[in-house]
């Protein structure tokens, strides 16, 4: 009879862990969708708010970078296969972004390697790799 309570405790722990994982996964999907939509609209200033606050404070987006972002229009944001888990609290995602220079109308594509981290305290996913580097060739 002593086994039944311990089995119930074990099942409860597994059920709670499953719920936490599902909640984290749903929050990741919501965050990645919001970030992708923000970039699709070319709103790099708002996209910067997805960056981990500690990283954002240590490495603020420069005025030069903001001016560069204003010179392009995002025409495609392809997140392909979606995020790939690194561990329980980190994922990576490779995104192909097509950009048009608003002055020259020339189009080019870049690859953005994103890393996202789940902060257990704030229960929030944060971008740790920074905004896309639109200066890459």
């Amino acid at each position: 009879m002593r086994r039944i309570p311990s089995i119930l405790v074990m099942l409860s722990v597994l059920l709670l862990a499953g719920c936490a994982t599902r909640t984290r996964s749903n929050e990741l999907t919501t965050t990645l969708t919001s970030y992708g939509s923000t970039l699709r609209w070319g709103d790099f200033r708002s996209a910067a708010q997805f960056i981990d606050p500690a990283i954002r404070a240590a490495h603020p987006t420069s005025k030069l970078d903001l001016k560069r972002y204003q010179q392009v229009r995002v025409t495609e944001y392809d997140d392909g296969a979606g995020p790939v888990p690194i561990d329980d609290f980190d994922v990576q995602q490779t995104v192909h972004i097509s950009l048009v220079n608003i002055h020259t109308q020339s189009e080019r594509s870049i690859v953005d390697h994103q890393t996202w981290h789940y902060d257990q305290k704030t229960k929030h996913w944060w971008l740790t790799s920074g905004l896309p580097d639109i200066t890459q060739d």
Side-chain angles (χ1 to χ4, degrees), residues 61-68:
T61 306
S62 71
K63 289 181 181 182
L64 177 61
D65 284 335
L66 289 174
K67 289 205 179 283
R68 284 183 178 140

mmCIF file with all atom_site columns, all heavy atoms in Angstrom, residues 61-68:
data_model
loop_
_atom_site.group_PDB
_atom_site.id
_atom_site.type_symbol
_atom_site.label_atom_id
_atom_site.label_alt_id
_atom_site.label_comp_id
_atom_site.label_asym_id
_atom_site.label_entity_id
_atom_site.label_seq_id
_atom_site.pdbx_PDB_ins_code
_atom_site.Cartn_x
_atom_site.Cartn_y
_atom_site.Cartn_z
_atom_site.occupancy
_atom_site.B_iso_or_equiv
_atom_site.pdbx_formal_charge
_atom_site.auth_seq_id
_atom_site.auth_comp_id
_atom_site.auth_asym_id
_atom_site.auth_atom_id
_atom_site.pdbx_PDB_model_num
ATOM 1  N N   . THR A 1 61 ? 21.528 48.952 -29.370 1.00 0.00 ? 61 THR A N   1
ATOM 2  C CA  . THR A 1 61 ? 21.559 49.133 -30.817 1.00 0.00 ? 61 THR A CA  1
ATOM 3  C C   . THR A 1 61 ? 22.055 50.542 -31.115 1.00 0.00 ? 61 THR A C   1
ATOM 4  O O   . THR A 1 61 ? 21.518 51.516 -30.599 1.00 0.00 ? 61 THR A O   1
ATOM 5  C CB  . THR A 1 61 ? 20.153 48.927 -31.408 1.00 0.00 ? 61 THR A CB  1
ATOM 6  O OG1 . THR A 1 61 ? 19.650 47.654 -30.975 1.00 0.00 ? 61 THR A OG1 1
ATOM 7  C CG2 . THR A 1 61 ? 20.185 48.956 -32.921 1.00 0.00 ? 61 THR A CG2 1
ATOM 8  N N   . SER A 1 62 ? 23.084 50.634 -31.947 1.00 0.00 ? 62 SER A N   1
ATOM 9  C CA  . SER A 1 62 ? 23.676 51.943 -32.239 1.00 0.00 ? 62 SER A CA  1
ATOM 10 C C   . SER A 1 62 ? 22.769 52.750 -33.172 1.00 0.00 ? 62 SER A C   1
ATOM 11 O O   . SER A 1 62 ? 21.928 52.200 -33.891 1.00 0.00 ? 62 SER A O   1
ATOM 12 C CB  . SER A 1 62 ? 25.049 51.767 -32.884 1.00 0.00 ? 62 SER A CB  1
ATOM 13 O OG  . SER A 1 62 ? 24.909 51.280 -34.202 1.00 0.00 ? 62 SER A OG  1
ATOM 14 N N   . LYS A 1 63 ? 22.970 54.046 -33.170 1.00 0.00 ? 63 LYS A N   1
ATOM 15 C CA  . LYS A 1 63 ? 22.217 54.922 -34.073 1.00 0.00 ? 63 LYS A CA  1
ATOM 16 C C   . LYS A 1 63 ? 22.519 54.567 -35.526 1.00 0.00 ? 63 LYS A C   1
ATOM 17 O O   . LYS A 1 63 ? 21.644 54.634 -36.389 1.00 0.00 ? 63 LYS A O   1
ATOM 18 C CB  . LYS A 1 63 ? 22.546 56.380 -33.798 1.00 0.00 ? 63 LYS A CB  1
ATOM 19 C CG  . LYS A 1 63 ? 21.971 56.884 -32.496 1.00 0.00 ? 63 LYS A CG  1
ATOM 20 C CD  . LYS A 1 63 ? 22.286 58.342 -32.273 1.00 0.00 ? 63 LYS A CD  1
ATOM 21 C CE  . LYS A 1 63 ? 21.719 58.798 -30.939 1.00 0.00 ? 63 LYS A CE  1
ATOM 22 N NZ  . LYS A 1 63 ? 21.954 60.209 -30.678 1.00 0.00 ? 63 LYS A NZ  1
ATOM 23 N N   . LEU A 1 64 ? 23.779 54.203 -35.794 1.00 0.00 ? 64 LEU A N   1
ATOM 24 C CA  . LEU A 1 64 ? 24.163 53.810 -37.147 1.00 0.00 ? 64 LEU A CA  1
ATOM 25 C C   . LEU A 1 64 ? 23.376 52.576 -37.590 1.00 0.00 ? 64 LEU A C   1
ATOM 26 O O   . LEU A 1 64 ? 22.855 52.530 -38.711 1.00 0.00 ? 64 LEU A O   1
ATOM 27 C CB  . LEU A 1 64 ? 25.671 53.546 -37.227 1.00 0.00 ? 64 LEU A CB  1
ATOM 28 C CG  . LEU A 1 64 ? 26.193 53.058 -38.577 1.00 0.00 ? 64 LEU A CG  1
ATOM 29 C CD1 . LEU A 1 64 ? 25.921 54.093 -39.671 1.00 0.00 ? 64 LEU A CD1 1
ATOM 30 C CD2 . LEU A 1 64 ? 27.681 52.751 -38.486 1.00 0.00 ? 64 LEU A CD2 1
ATOM 31 N N   . ASP A 1 65 ? 23.286 51.580 -36.705 1.00 0.00 ? 65 ASP A N   1
ATOM 32 C CA  . ASP A 1 65 ? 22.521 50.375 -37.046 1.00 0.00 ? 65 ASP A CA  1
ATOM 33 C C   . ASP A 1 65 ? 21.047 50.711 -37.280 1.00 0.00 ? 65 ASP A C   1
ATOM 34 O O   . ASP A 1 65 ? 20.429 50.195 -38.219 1.00 0.00 ? 65 ASP A O   1
ATOM 35 C CB  . ASP A 1 65 ? 22.656 49.313 -35.958 1.00 0.00 ? 65 ASP A CB  1
ATOM 36 C CG  . ASP A 1 65 ? 23.989 48.601 -35.999 1.00 0.00 ? 65 ASP A CG  1
ATOM 37 O OD1 . ASP A 1 65 ? 24.613 48.555 -37.080 1.00 0.00 ? 65 ASP A OD1 1
ATOM 38 O OD2 . ASP A 1 65 ? 24.417 48.077 -34.947 1.00 0.00 ? 65 ASP A OD2 1
ATOM 39 N N   . LEU A 1 66 ? 20.480 51.564 -36.426 1.00 0.00 ? 66 LEU A N   1
ATOM 40 C CA  . LEU A 1 66 ? 19.081 51.956 -36.616 1.00 0.00 ? 66 LEU A CA  1
ATOM 41 C C   . LEU A 1 66 ? 18.873 52.637 -37.968 1.00 0.00 ? 66 LEU A C   1
ATOM 42 O O   . LEU A 1 66 ? 17.874 52.398 -38.650 1.00 0.00 ? 66 LEU A O   1
ATOM 43 C CB  . LEU A 1 66 ? 18.616 52.858 -35.472 1.00 0.00 ? 66 LEU A CB  1
ATOM 44 C CG  . LEU A 1 66 ? 18.434 52.171 -34.123 1.00 0.00 ? 66 LEU A CG  1
ATOM 45 C CD1 . LEU A 1 66 ? 18.121 53.186 -33.036 1.00 0.00 ? 66 LEU A CD1 1
ATOM 46 C CD2 . LEU A 1 66 ? 17.345 51.105 -34.206 1.00 0.00 ? 66 LEU A CD2 1
ATOM 47 N N   . LYS A 1 67 ? 19.840 53.478 -38.374 1.00 0.00 ? 67 LYS A N   1
ATOM 48 C CA  . LYS A 1 67 ? 19.743 54.130 -39.687 1.00 0.00 ? 67 LYS A CA  1
ATOM 49 C C   . LYS A 1 67 ? 19.845 53.101 -40.816 1.00 0.00 ? 67 LYS A C   1
ATOM 50 O O   . LYS A 1 67 ? 19.153 53.215 -41.826 1.00 0.00 ? 67 LYS A O   1
ATOM 51 C CB  . LYS A 1 67 ? 20.807 55.199 -39.827 1.00 0.00 ? 67 LYS A CB  1
ATOM 52 C CG  . LYS A 1 67 ? 20.532 56.422 -38.958 1.00 0.00 ? 67 LYS A CG  1
ATOM 53 C CD  . LYS A 1 67 ? 21.208 57.643 -39.532 1.00 0.00 ? 67 LYS A CD  1
ATOM 54 C CE  . LYS A 1 67 ? 20.918 58.859 -38.707 1.00 0.00 ? 67 LYS A CE  1
ATOM 55 N NZ  . LYS A 1 67 ? 19.584 59.377 -38.940 1.00 0.00 ? 67 LYS A NZ  1
ATOM 56 N N   . ARG A 1 68 ? 20.704 52.107 -40.643 1.00 0.00 ? 68 ARG A N   1
ATOM 57 C CA  . ARG A 1 68 ? 20.824 51.039 -41.654 1.00 0.00 ? 68 ARG A CA  1
ATOM 58 C C   . ARG A 1 68 ? 19.504 50.270 -41.775 1.00 0.00 ? 68 ARG A C   1
ATOM 59 O O   . ARG A 1 68 ? 19.065 49.948 -42.876 1.00 0.00 ? 68 ARG A O   1
ATOM 60 C CB  . ARG A 1 68 ? 21.949 50.078 -41.283 1.00 0.00 ? 68 ARG A CB  1
ATOM 61 C CG  . ARG A 1 68 ? 23.314 50.621 -41.544 1.00 0.00 ? 68 ARG A CG  1
ATOM 62 C CD  . ARG A 1 68 ? 24.380 49.585 -41.217 1.00 0.00 ? 68 ARG A CD  1
ATOM 63 N NE  . ARG A 1 68 ? 25.687 50.107 -41.518 1.00 0.00 ? 68 ARG A NE  1
ATOM 64 C CZ  . ARG A 1 68 ? 26.753 49.905 -40.768 1.00 0.00 ? 68 ARG A CZ  1
ATOM 65 N NH1 . ARG A 1 68 ? 26.681 49.168 -39.669 1.00 0.00 ? 68 ARG A NH1 1
ATOM 66 N NH2 . ARG A 1 68 ? 27.920 50.411 -41.102 1.00 0.00 ? 68 ARG A NH2 1
#
